[in-house]
Structure formats: structure tokens, C-alpha cells
Amino acid sequence: MSSGPGAASAPAPTTPSTSGPRKSSMFSSLSVRNYRLFFLGQVVSNTGTWMQRIAQDWLVLGLTGSATAVGITTALQFLPMLLFGLYGGVLVDRLPKRRTLLFTQTSMAFTGIALAVLTLTGNVQVWHVYLAAFVVGLATVVDNPARQSFVSEMVGPDQLQNAVSLNSANFQSARLVGPAAAGLLITGVGTGWAFLANGLSFVAPITGLLLMRARELYPVQRAPRGKGQLREGLRYVAGRPDLIWPIVLAGFVSTFGFNFPVYLSAFANDVFHAGAGSYSLFNTLMAVGSLAGALLAARRGTARMRVLIAGAVAFGTMEIVAAFAPSLWLFALFMAPIGIFGMTVNVTANSSIQMATDPSMRGRVMALYMMVFMGGAPLGAPIAGWITDAYGVRAGLAVGGAITAVAAVTIALALARVGGLRLSVGWNRGHPQVRFVPREREQLATAA
């Protein structure tokens, strides 16, 4: 079945040319009109999303004075993905993705506008924010796997890896504008205007989806309605170690390392006694690093497990170091490298999973990935908030970084053991070199 009206007539072959692989530029997928419309719409919408995130965290902290409450808000936004994420993937594999995205984007727009009205009229209460976060989370259950898997229908297999990396760069570039704009609106006219800006920002992606040419979409076989499709997706992943390990590592990173709404607001407010501007600064500097990490991934063109593990170890280590920064500016300095390594983990895991998954299973597999990656927040955010309230935010950030680094090293050692590898430490052209090599090679080297 085609992916929409006229999709069966989509141009371009889906098999590689016999002339060899074609080297693409960092932004080559933007030459596709449908993807370009999608990309531009998401730039606007993602900027609004980051504005709402900053405003939401700051509003909850102002209403309650509690880092735990901020953690609960984050948990409620990601809890639906943890509970219903796999079912969202089943729906995405069955439904036409463009129409599905029109519905989810519209519902999130109305949620942002409703929260803006409550805030601007002075009637907002913390439970309103909790409810809005949960509703957005419900829409995300379907929206995230639909957006992830719709990329292949827009650009085809040849441009998929590049487009996946650019999607992450898109999201992170919006962080450069969103937090700064949110800080200006919060300090200037109030949080309600940031919520309103987010609601109106969805006009851009909705317009882009409506302007797409359906005949230029690449046809993808949609899964028919039937029983056992959820189990089928789980069995598919269970039989693929190249899918399992990136998902497991991404889960640890998300649950214990990515609780920045809790950590950064507490560092700005409680440790350095600064205002919303400093909180926005931390997010903006992290976005600079994240954007650099995403663009480096687009340029790299391959997604290797060793890059994923090394990125996770470096990410956790940098969090531990940043936790003990004595001054605001030194702490801010660590935000960029933390962003680079965090985005390396995110993009490498996402790209490797999408490239390795059969198109007919992509919705379910990406739903599982997003459920683990985003659904870890309901588990990690309250724990991070509790540690922050009980022992201080420095302890919370250090513990999260330590768990992330230890998980990455443990997975690396487990992979080495299963794959018959051992750690080799040596020198290469005057530089230290640490790598895993086959045990047989080590044995032959010893015998020689």
C-alpha cells in the first residue's frame, strides 16, 4: 500500500547506483523539496517548543519553589511515552504519517495556547502545568515515531542518514534561539507570552505538511491491522543485537544523564543565585555544543558503536567535572562539550537504529527507542529532583554523570566479551591508543 495519494508514482530508484556510492554534502537532503518544507517548519516549531520548556520549568519553580516539582513536570511530559510508546509505534506503522502528523501538531498547538490563556489571565496553577505537560506527552507518543519514520518517506534511503542528522541539528539550532527568546519574554512580559509563541509556532509545520507533494513521497508498505504486531516488533528487536545495545545505552543516558530541566534551573537559582537569564544562558551554550555535535555526525556519515560508547563515557565524565565547578562562568563553560557529547550519543544511536531497521518495522522500532530514550525521564527526573533537594544539585549532577559513564563502560565490556574481544592498550605514532581487538589476534601476537 502506498504512503498516501499518488505515492506510488514517487520518483527516484530505491537501489544504489552501479557507479558506486555517491558522496553527499553536509546539507544534501535539503535539496528534496518535501524535506525542505518539513525542515523549515520544524525550525520554527522547535524554537517555540524550547521557549515553552524554559517557561514551563521557570513557572513551576516560581509557583512551588521546589526542584522536585520541576522533576514531576518533566516526568508527566514523558510518562505517556513510557506507558504507551510501543502502541504508538504500532499505530504509526498502520497510519499515513503525513495526516497523523497534522493531527498531533494541531493538538500540541491548542495545548500551548490554552496554557498561555491561563497564565496571561493570572489563573494558572501548578496542576494546570502538570495537565498540559501530560497532554503534550500523549500527543508525543504518536508524533515522535511518526516524525522519525516519515523522514525516509520524504528523502528515500540514499539521503536518510544525512536527514536524520540534520533533524537533530534542526532541533539543537532551535535551542540557540528558543532559550534566549524565552529569557527575554519571561523577564520582559511574563511566561504566558512564551506559551503563546509556542502555540502559534505550530502554524509553520502544519503549513509545510499541507504544501508537500504527495506524488514525490517514497512509497512504504504500511502494516495492515492485525493481532500480535506489538510482539512482532519486540521479537524483531530482540533478534538484532545491533538494535538492542544502542537502545539500552540510550536508556541509561536519558534516565540518569539528561535531567537538565532539574539540574540547570537549580544551578541558576540555588547555587549561583542568578535569574532566568542565566538559566537560558546555560541552555543556549549547551545548544551550541549540541548543534556542533549534530553537524559533526552529519559530516561523519557513519554510526559506529564505538563512537556511541565513547561519547557516552565522555558525556558522563564531563557532567561529573561540571558538577564541582566553583563559579557560574566555569560551569557555563562546560555546557558546550556536554552538549557535543550528549548529541553524539543521541544522533549516533538514532542513525544506527534507523539505518538498520526494515521500513515496515521502523515505526515500532523507533517507538521503542523513543520510549526508552524519552520514557526514562519519568524514572530519572523525580530521582534527580529528590537528590537535588536532599543533597544538593552538585550531588545530583555528579551521580547522574557517574551512572552514565559506568553504564557505557559496562556495555562496552559486555560487548567485548560476547564478541570475543579484549582491551588493547598501546602506542600508535607516539599517541596512546585504547581499543578492542579479537582475542585470536592478541594470542597470535603473543605467540610471535
Side-chain angles (χ1 to χ4, degrees), residues 365-420:
V365 174
M366 292 311 298
L368 177 60
Y369 167 72
M370 296 307 297
M371 183 191 75
V372 172
F373 188 75
M374 297 180 64
L379 301 177
I383 295 174
W386 175 79
I387 295 175
T388 297
D389 284 341
Y391 302 101
V393 65
R394 294 187 186 276
L397 182 59
V399 169
I403 293 176
T404 297
V406 169
V409 171
T410 302
I411 289 175
L413 294 175
L415 281 171
R417 184 177 182 85
V418 171

Side-chain angles (χ1 to χ4, degrees), residues 237-251:
V237 174
R240 297 285 301 275
D242 55 333
L243 299 178
I244 290 176
W245 291 114
I247 291 174
V248 170
L249 183 53

Side-chain angles (χ1 to χ4, degrees), residues 108-440:
M108 287 190 283
F110 281 121
T111 303
I113 292 173
L115 193 56
V117 171
L118 287 169
T119 306
L120 291 172
T121 58
N123 295 315
V124 69
Q125 299 179 36
V126 70
W127 72 267
H128 293 141
V129 186
Y130 287 166
L131 179 61
F134 186 75
V135 171
V136 170
L138 286 175
T140 301
V141 166
V142 177
D143 184 79
N144 262 330
R147 277 190 296 109
Q148 299 283 344
S149 55
F150 188 49
V151 174
S152 65
E153 296 187 25
M154 289 184 285
V155 303
D158 292 340
Q159 297 284 1
L160 178 58
Q161 174 119 5
N162 181 263
V164 168
S165 297
L166 288 185
N167 276 352
S168 296
N170 182 329
F171 188 68
Q172 299 308 320
S173 65
R175 292 180 66 186
L176 298 174
V177 179
L184 291 174
L185 286 175
I186 292 170
T187 56
V189 292
T191 57
W193 294 100
F195 296 137
L196 181 61
N198 175 58
L200 296 177
S201 72
F202 284 97
V203 172
I206 291 171
T207 301
L209 289 167
L210 292 173
L211 291 176
M212 286 183 184
R213 296 169 182 165
R215 66 181 181 277
E216 295 179 6
L217 295 174
Y218 285 71
V220 172
Q221 182 78 21
R222 294 210 305 267
R225 182 182 298 272
K227 295 182 178 180
Q229 291 178 327
L230 179 57
R231 291 192 299 272
E232 180 186 11
L234 293 175
R235 284 197 300 268
Y236 178 81
V237 174
R240 297 285 301 275
D242 55 333
L243 299 178
I244 290 176
W245 291 114
I247 291 174
V248 170
L249 183 53
F252 272 100
V253 173
S254 172
T255 301
F256 299 103
F258 272 21
N259 295 301
F260 296 115
V262 177
Y263 298 139
L264 298 188
S265 60
F267 264 100
N269 193 60
D270 301 332
V271 176
F272 301 120
H273 307 291
S278 295
Y279 180 44
S280 296
L281 174 66
F282 296 155
N283 281 278
T284 301
L285 291 174
M286 187 176 294
V288 172
S290 298
L291 176 59
L295 292 176
L296 287 172
R299 184 184 183 92
R300 192 162 51 240
T302 57
R304 299 178 183 275
M305 191 65 188
R306 65 187 180 189
V307 174
L308 176 61
I309 290 174
V313 172
F315 174 75
T317 302
M318 291 301 298
E319 285 195 332
I320 296 172
V321 175
F324 300 101
S327 69
L328 184 150
W329 292 109
L330 186 58
F331 178 80
L333 186 65
F334 285 110
M335 294 299 100
I338 287 175
I340 290 175
F341 293 123
M343 188 48 51
T344 298
V345 174
N346 189 353
V347 173
T348 305
N350 191 314
S351 300
S352 64
I353 291 168
Q354 287 217 50
M355 295 297 293
T357 303
D358 185 87
S360 65
M361 301 291 295
R362 192 168 283 134
R364 278 164 282 184
V365 174
M366 292 311 298
L368 177 60
Y369 167 72
M370 296 307 297
M371 183 191 75
V372 172
F373 188 75
M374 297 180 64
L379 301 177
I383 295 174
W386 175 79
I387 295 175
T388 297
D389 284 341
Y391 302 101
V393 65
R394 294 187 186 276
L397 182 59
V399 169
I403 293 176
T404 297
V406 169
V409 171
T410 302
I411 289 175
L413 294 175
L415 281 171
R417 184 177 182 85
V418 171
L421 305 176
R422 65 180 297 177
L423 186 67
S424 174
V425 181
W427 291 83
N428 182 25
R429 298 180 180 179
H431 299 284
Q433 185 178 63
V434 180
R435 59 177 179 166
F436 287 100
V437 299
R439 293 180 183 275
E440 292 80 2

Side-chain angles (χ1 to χ4, degrees), residues 33-114:
R33 179 182 181 275
N34 283 343
Y35 179 70
R36 189 164 60 249
L37 288 169
F38 176 84
F39 184 90
L40 294 174
Q42 290 298 309
V43 167
V44 178
S45 177
N46 286 336
T47 301
T49 297
W50 278 110
M51 292 176 68
Q52 175 148 326
R53 286 191 179 185
I54 301 298
Q56 175 181 279
D57 297 337
W58 202 254
L59 176 61
V60 170
L61 194 62
L63 290 173
T64 66
S66 170
T68 301
V70 177
I72 291 172
T73 306
T74 302
L76 287 171
Q77 187 160 332
F78 296 114
L79 182 62
M81 180 63 70
L82 182 63
L83 297 177
F84 312 116
L86 292 178
Y87 296 98
V90 172
L91 287 175
V92 167
D93 280 336
R94 292 177 183 174
L95 299 173
K97 296 177 182 61
R98 186 163 65 131
R99 279 184 280 177
T100 301
L101 287 171
L102 283 169
F103 174 79
T104 57
Q105 297 280 294
T106 301
S107 65
M108 287 190 283
F110 281 121
T111 303
I113 292 173

